[in-house]
Amino acid sequence: MKPSLQPLAILGGRPAFAERLYVGRPNIGDRGRFLARVNDILDRRWLTNNGHYVHEFEKALAGLTGARHFIAACNGTVALELAVRALGLRGEVILPSFTFVATAHALQWQEITPVFCDIEPGSHTLDPARVEERITPRTSGIIGVHLWGTPCAVEDLAAIARRRDLRLVFDAAHALGSTRGGRPVGGFGDAEVFSFHATKFLNTFEGGGIATNDDELAARLRLMKNFGFAGYDEVVYLGTNGKMSEVQAAMGLTGVESLDEFIACNRRNHERYRAALAGLAGVRLLEPAQGERHNFQYVVLEIDETAALARDELLRVLWAENVVARRYFHPGCHRMEPYRTLFPDVAARLPVTERICRRVLVLPTGTAIGEAEIDAIGSILRAALARGAEVRAALARSPGP
Ligand code: T4K
């Protein structure tokens, strides 16, 4: 989409983009190959329940993650719930508050108490030093979240889990294709849980899955995601319907074929943003760890107190230009219901989370945008920050979003 670089819309100019640019625009892959697969599914008349394409997708994902087993599921949230239940978690489970609310809901939904723990300021992931402090006799496990595709401190968390006899799960919803110490995400902890929601760089419309090297856990998960059926008439567990359909798997397989291309595009976009935002006071672009593979699926800025405008002011400037940036994962799970009511005092234990929640701004990336859009977004931010006082006054005059 060709941007028109008018004066800032918030100051009375026309929006830079005629149509909205969104964070989370899906990558589509090869349309022809996807449609051919859908035709084949219709010819086979096998639409769901452990079909051919789900098998193929699970094989492909086991290959990508290096895990012995990959169990596909209908979405990432149900995959988390399955992992939590199959591992026998109960009582309390420690997790970051700075994550998508599904991580906490997967516990609370099963009447397990989510215990919110602070994060490291650099990586935005669970701080192992703080995890130790949150362990009680009721703690049964830890869920680390590889936020923005950046793996947590898996070694330190694994050492704590071993020492304190806890189960360790990773919410890897963002982290397909990333590595830690050269090892792909998928093989850490007892299980790692992925999301293939439309907004993820590899998508199955809705979808998710669990990677594990534990044979017994994998067998349990396979039964649990299919109501607990061990045969036509035999049910051996309390299960649910967590199955992925054939069309979802066909979309996933098509995406897998373009995965390197998606990552290359995300990386190019990231580099372009780095150049477009260089030298902006108070604006930090989160960078992945050196020497590791990363999927670059989120472009994450931290806007600190030294910037001429606050994060929320920049958000409004961008929205006025039709750039639908997001302030993920504001305001933190602990400030959302039911957790706000259940744990009214927990914010005091989460100073880093509170600070990061006020600073983060996520910008559009993926195959739906290119250099021209990124340069224009950089110019908008640069112009807004250069005219900080004027922009602030204009925002104060206009009603908020
Ligand atoms: N753990 C973590 C750490 C997660 O981030 C997530 C999901 C999960 C667990 C749970 O996995 P799932 O059960 O969802 O598989 C979106 C996604 O719905 C959610 O999957 C994702 N994380 C989260 C980070 O983002 P919202 O509430 O932001 O969705 P929404 O509707 O505002 O869409 C986001 C953006 O994407 C919009 O700017 C529009 C754009 N979009 C969206 C869809 C669905 C499109 O352009 N096309 C589309 O088809 O949660």
Side-chain angles (χ1 to χ4, degrees):
M1 196 190 318
K2 207 166 158 29
S4 65
L5 274 183
Q6 308 286 335
L8 289 171
I10 208 77
L11 298 175
R14 287 220 322 275
F17 297 98
E19 287 164 36
R20 288 184 160 182
L21 281 188
Y22 290 99
V23 170
R25 216 71 178 131
N27 294 323
I28 303 298
D30 187 320
R31 213 176 268 247
R33 291 184 69 96
F34 169 65
L35 293 174
R37 285 183 168 123
V38 173
N39 263 324
D40 186 46
I41 290 167
L42 299 179
D43 289 344
R44 288 167 180 266
R45 290 182 190 259
W46 195 279
L47 308 186
T48 184
N49 289 12
N50 214 12
H52 166 78
Y53 285 99
V54 166
H55 270 279
E56 292 298 307
F57 183 64
E58 288 184 336
K59 257 196 273 168
L61 265 292
L64 285 171
T65 57
R68 209 157 50 230
H69 307 278
F70 193 92
I71 297 101
C74 54
N75 61 54
T77 306
V78 168
L80 272 167
E81 288 169 6
L82 284 164
V84 162
R85 190 177 277 272
L87 280 165
L89 297 188
R90 65 198 180 301
E92 296 176 358
V93 170
I94 297 168
L95 76 165
S97 173
F98 194 55
T99 177
F100 190 59
V101 73
T103 321
H105 281 355
L107 295 166
Q108 185 69 28
W109 195 254
Q110 305 192 58
E111 301 188 348
I112 297 165
T113 304
V115 174
F116 295 120
C117 180
D118 217 355
I119 52 172
E120 295 176 333
S123 65
H124 296 183
T125 62
L126 205 51
D127 183 344
R130 302 280 83 79
V131 168
E132 287 268 22
E133 295 165 4
R134 303 295 270 144
I135 296 174
T136 74
R138 296 191 68 226
T139 308
S140 62
I142 303 168
I143 302 184
V145 181
H146 303 316
L147 208 77
W148 318 128
T150 298
C152 320
V154 292
E155 305 79 8
D156 290 352
L157 292 172
I160 295 171
R162 235 185 346 264
R163 203 166 55 241
R164 307 297 292 264
D165 195 21
L166 303 173
R167 308 316 298 255
L168 180 60
V169 179
F170 291 105
D171 178 338
H174 300 179
L176 181 69
S178 294
T179 60
R180 168 103 181 173
R183 285 174 57 197
V185 165
F188 297 111
D190 292 300
E192 302 214 60
V193 180
F194 294 82
S195 165
F196 307 114
H197 180 261
T199 55
K200 301 296 181 288
F201 82 111
L202 174 71
N203 86 81
T204 57
F205 302 103
E206 293 274 359
I210 305 154
T212 182
N213 289 320
D214 180 333
D215 300 346
E216 247 179 70
L217 178 67
R220 206 155 47 238
L221 285 164
R222 288 195 184 287
L223 294 170
M224 279 188 172
K225 77 161 183 179
N226 186 28
F227 313 98
F229 273 111
Y232 276 120
D233 307 312
E234 198 194 356
V235 172
V236 292
Y237 293 121
L238 172 63
T240 187
N241 184 351
K243 290 169 279 132
M244 177 178 272
S245 76
E246 287 291 273
V247 170
Q248 286 174 285
M251 184 67 172
L253 275 172
T254 309
V256 165
E257 289 162 354
S258 297
L259 205 69
D260 291 343
E261 202 185 300
F262 295 158
I263 294 178
C265 171
N266 287 345
R267 175 192 282 275
R268 271 197 312 277
N269 288 351
H270 188 94
E271 283 163 6
R272 195 80 185 187
Y273 270 116
R274 189 188 296 137
L277 301 169
L280 281 182
V283 177
R284 175 171 89 96
L285 173 66
L286 246 71
E287 296 286 356
Q290 293 286 322
E292 300 286 0
R293 264 198 354 246
H294 201 276
N295 60 40
F296 293 93
Q297 73 170 312
Y298 289 99
V299 171
V300 183
L301 304 186
E302 263 188 51
I303 315 294
D304 71 27
E305 294 69 24
T306 65
L309 292 166
R311 186 272 311 271
D312 287 355
E313 291 171 319
L314 286 174
L315 184 80
R316 286 182 63 193
V317 166
L318 288 170
W319 278 49
E321 304 287 353
N322 277 333
V323 180
V324 188
R326 296 294 294 264
R327 44 183 193 174
Y328 286 138
F329 290 97
H330 179 95
C333 296
H334 65 291
R335 290 190 179 277
M336 295 175 174
E337 292 296 358
Y339 313 109
R340 184 169 53 192
T341 302
L342 287 171
F343 316 115
D345 303 323
V346 75
R349 304 196 69 131
L350 305 170
V352 180
T353 302
E354 292 268 298
R355 190 168 77 236
I356 300 296
C357 281
R358 284 194 297 273
R359 289 183 172 180
V360 162
L361 188 62
V362 179
L363 299 177
T365 187
T367 54
I369 73 161
E371 293 179 351
E373 286 87 358
I374 293 170
D375 290 349
I377 292 169
S379 301
I380 292 164
L381 291 172
R382 197 170 291 278
L385 289 164
R387 301 171 73 177
E390 204 186 335
V391 168
R392 180 163 292 155
L395 287 168
R397 283 193 302 275
S398 68

